[in-house]
Amino acid sequence: MMSNIPQYSNDSAGIYIHIPFCRKACHYCDFHFSTNTTYQDEMVDAICLELKLRSKELAHTKIETIYFGGGTPSVLTINQLQSILQTLRDNYSIHPQVEITLEANPDDLSADYIELLYKSGINRLSIGIQSFDESELKWMNRSHTVEQSYIALDVLEDLHFIDYSIDLIFGSPLCTDEVWSKNIEEISRYRSPHLSCYNLTVEPNTVLHHSIKSGQVIPLEDDMHAALYQLTHDTLTSLGYEHYEISNYARPGSYSRHNTGYWMGNHYLGIGPGAHSYNGTERSWNVSNNALYLQSLKLHTLPSEVETLTDTDKYNESIMVGLRTMWGVERKRLQLTHGQEQYVEAMISQKLVVVTPERLVLSERGRFQSDRIASQLFKEASL
Ligand code: SF4
C-alpha cells in the first residue's frame, strides 16, 4: 500500500475556516464554539474581512483545499456560506479541482440544503454521525437522533455527485463490543468513501471530565479502547477501506486531501476564532473567543499570536504526524542516535514497527501507540 505517497508541496496550500457555533454543547467536546448563534451574520462578515486582510500571505500559492470546520458549519445559511466562498474566489487563486469540505450535523442535511451546498461549490461533506446507538447519542448530548442520521445518509446515497465522510466515536462509557460492532457494520450499507473513527479522549474542562472526576461516569479501561481500535481496523479493512491514518479510513485513493496536506507539512491559513495557521516557519493562532475576535476585526486588526518553530520542532512534528499515517516517515530524513536505533530494533522485534528500504512505518498495533513511539524518536529525547 505504499504507492502514491502524498508529498510536501511548497506551491499549494489549504485554507481552514472555523465556524464557531453549535446548536448544543456535546459533553466530550473542547473545541471552540458558542451555542449563541444570534450574531452569525456579524461573524460571517468578520471572517470575510479576515480573508481579505490575509490574502497576501498566500499571494503566489494555489489553494488546493478549503475546509469549513467548527463548531458546526452547517448551522450557516446558504447565503452566509456563499458570501464566504465568493470572498475566497475574489481574493485567492483557487485550484480548478479544489476540494471544499464542510463539516455538517445530520439534522441540518436536507436534500435541498445539500444540493444548494453543491451548487455553491462545496464538493465534500464530513458528517458528525458519531454513533448509531440512541443511548450513546443522548449520553454525548448530540443535537441529532439516530433516525436523523439515517435520513441524511439515505439522501446522500441518492445524491451521487457529492463526496462525503462519516465521523464516528468509539470508547464512550456506554460503548460495548456490541454497540461498536453495530456502529461500524452499519457502514457497509453506505457508499461512504471516507470514515473518521475517533477514540474518545477525556479533555479538561468538559462535562465528561467533570462527570469522571465526580465519580458519576466510569471511563472504559485502556485495554477496551485498544480492542475497539483493533475491531475497527479489522472490520473496515475487510470492507475494503484503507486505514491510512490512525483515525482515518478511505476507499482506495479517497483520502481527505485537506488533512493529508497537514500531515505532509503543507502550509495552511486558519481563519476565524481559534483557527491555527502554519507558513513553514511560524505557527499562529487566532483568539478563541468570539467577542474578542469580532472586536478585533472591527478595528481591522488580526487577533492572533505567533510562535517561530525551530528545526527541532519541525523535525519532531514531522515524526509525530508521519508515524500516524500508513506512509510513515522517510528513513533518509531520520536523524537517530545510537540509543534510538536500538529502540527501533526493539520495536521491530515487538512487531510495532516495520521498515522498508525507504520508510519506517508503524504496524497497526504500533499506530495505536504512535504518540509514545514517536516521542522516543524525537530529537533531544532522553535515550
Ligand atoms: S457539534 Fe462538534 S464542535 Fe459542536 S459541541 Fe458537538 S462535537 Fe463540539
Side-chain angles (χ1 to χ4, degrees):
M1 291 299 179
M2 300 303 285
S3 58
N4 300 324
I5 299 173
Q7 301 293 330
Y8 165 75
S9 158
N10 62 5
D11 59 2
S12 64
I15 296 182
Y16 172 82
I17 299 174
H18 191 82
I19 307 298
F21 301 110
C22 291
R23 297 195 196 283
K24 276 173 90 175
C26 301
H27 285 167
Y28 54 85
C29 179
D30 75 335
F31 294 152
H32 170 63
F33 67 92
S34 164
T35 48
N36 177 1
T37 56
T38 48
Y39 49 102
Q40 276 182 200
D41 276 334
E42 222 182 309
M43 184 59 73
V44 167
D45 289 347
I47 284 172
C48 290
L49 180 58
E50 189 188 357
L51 278 168
K52 287 180 201 159
L53 292 174
R54 298 185 65 186
S55 61
K56 283 193 197 74
E57 294 180 39
L58 293 178
H60 304 290
T61 313
K62 273 263 178 279
I63 307 304
E64 292 261 358
T65 63
I66 296 167
Y67 194 100
F68 288 88
T72 311
S74 57
V75 300
L76 293 190
T77 63
I78 289 293
N79 284 348
Q80 288 168 334
L81 285 166
Q82 278 174 346
S83 126
I84 298 174
L85 288 161
Q86 195 53 48
T87 309
L88 282 158
R89 289 188 197 102
D90 292 344
N91 292 277
Y92 293 84
S93 167
I94 312 283
H95 193 284
Q97 263 85 51
V98 62
E99 172 192 89
I100 308 184
T101 306
L102 180 112
E103 289 182 351
N105 277 352
D107 42 329
D108 294 322
L109 289 179
S110 66
D112 287 351
Y113 187 68
I114 297 173
E115 289 206 40
L116 289 169
L117 290 173
Y118 187 72
K119 282 187 188 143
S120 308
I122 287 158
N123 49 26
R124 187 170 183 274
L125 296 174
S126 173
I127 309 162
I129 300 286
Q130 314 313 4
S131 175
F132 290 99
D133 182 275
E134 203 68 62
S135 321
E136 254 201 321
L137 282 188
K138 284 214 174 78
W139 178 85
M140 290 175 184
N141 202 36
R142 297 288 301 172
S143 65
H144 61 95
T145 61
V146 172
E147 195 189 346
Q148 285 171 314
S149 296
Y150 285 127
I151 292 171
L153 291 170
D154 286 343
V155 168
L156 280 160
E157 287 302 291
D158 291 340
L159 303 180
H160 291 281
F161 45 82
I162 198 152
D163 208 358
Y164 73 97
S165 175
I166 291 178
D167 276 11
L168 293 172
I169 293 179
F170 65 90
S172 86
L174 304 189
C175 190
T176 59
D177 269 351
E178 276 162 14
V179 166
W180 185 242
S181 297
K182 174 166 186 279
N183 277 345
I184 42 179
E185 277 158 18
E186 285 299 280
I187 295 306
S188 62
R189 297 175 48 192
Y190 303 102
R191 67 183 163 96
S192 185
H194 189 278
L195 291 164
S196 298
C197 295
Y198 297 107
N199 187 8
L200 184 75
T201 50
V202 183
E203 303 298 341
N205 301 321
T206 56
V207 173
L208 174 59
H209 182 235
H210 294 305
S211 312
I212 289 174
K213 255 176 63 183
S214 66
Q216 288 167 279
V217 166
I218 315 238
L220 290 194
E221 301 283 335
D222 288 351
D223 285 357
M224 182 65 179
H225 284 273
L228 293 170
Y229 171 83
Q230 192 62 46
L231 179 63
T232 313
H233 170 82
D234 294 346
T235 309
L236 294 179
T237 51
S238 75
L239 290 174
Y241 286 93
E242 282 182 312
H243 188 181
Y244 76 107
E245 197 265 351
I246 183 166
S247 305
N248 287 285
Y249 294 80
R251 302 248 184 236
S254 296
Y255 314 127
S256 158
R257 283 165 55 198
H258 187 81
N259 288 341
T260 304
Y262 291 149
W263 304 325
M264 295 303 132
N266 291 352
H267 301 183
Y268 55 89
L269 201 58
I271 304 288
H276 285 231
S277 304
Y278 174 63
N279 66 8
T281 49
E282 291 169 333
R283 184 179 311 292
S284 64
W285 56 95
N286 286 345
V287 63
S288 286
N289 179 300
N290 288 1
L292 292 178
Y293 175 82
L294 291 173
Q295 240 174 43
S296 179
L297 264 299
K298 262 191 196 130
L299 303 170
H300 284 223
T301 54
L302 296 174
S304 57
E305 288 180 61
V306 183
E307 88 174 316
T308 303
L309 300 179
T310 63
D311 286 345
T312 300
D313 292 334
K314 287 193 268 181
Y315 174 84
N316 290 347
E317 188 155 330
S318 70
I319 302 286
M320 173 78 96
V321 293
L323 289 184
R324 289 181 189 164
T325 71
M326 70 175 183
W327 304 291
V329 290
E330 272 187 291
R331 286 177 70 187
K332 69 177 183 212
R333 298 197 56 237
L334 288 170
Q335 299 166 31
L336 302 182
T337 63
H338 179 61
Q340 288 173 323
E341 277 168 3
Q342 286 180 321
Y343 174 76
V344 169
E345 289 302 322
M347 293 297 101
I348 292 171
S349 56
Q350 291 177 36
K351 301 197 176 351
L352 295 172
V353 165
V354 178
V355 288
T356 68
E358 289 86 31
R359 307 192 79 86
L360 184 150
V361 183
L362 298 190
S363 67
E364 277 324 307
R365 228 159 36 85
R367 235 190 280 172
F368 191 64
Q369 305 169 41
S370 65
D371 286 359
R372 180 180 67 77
I373 297 172
S375 68
Q376 297 299 312
L377 304 183
F378 287 171
K379 268 190 198 166
E380 293 163 17
S382 55
L383 279 175

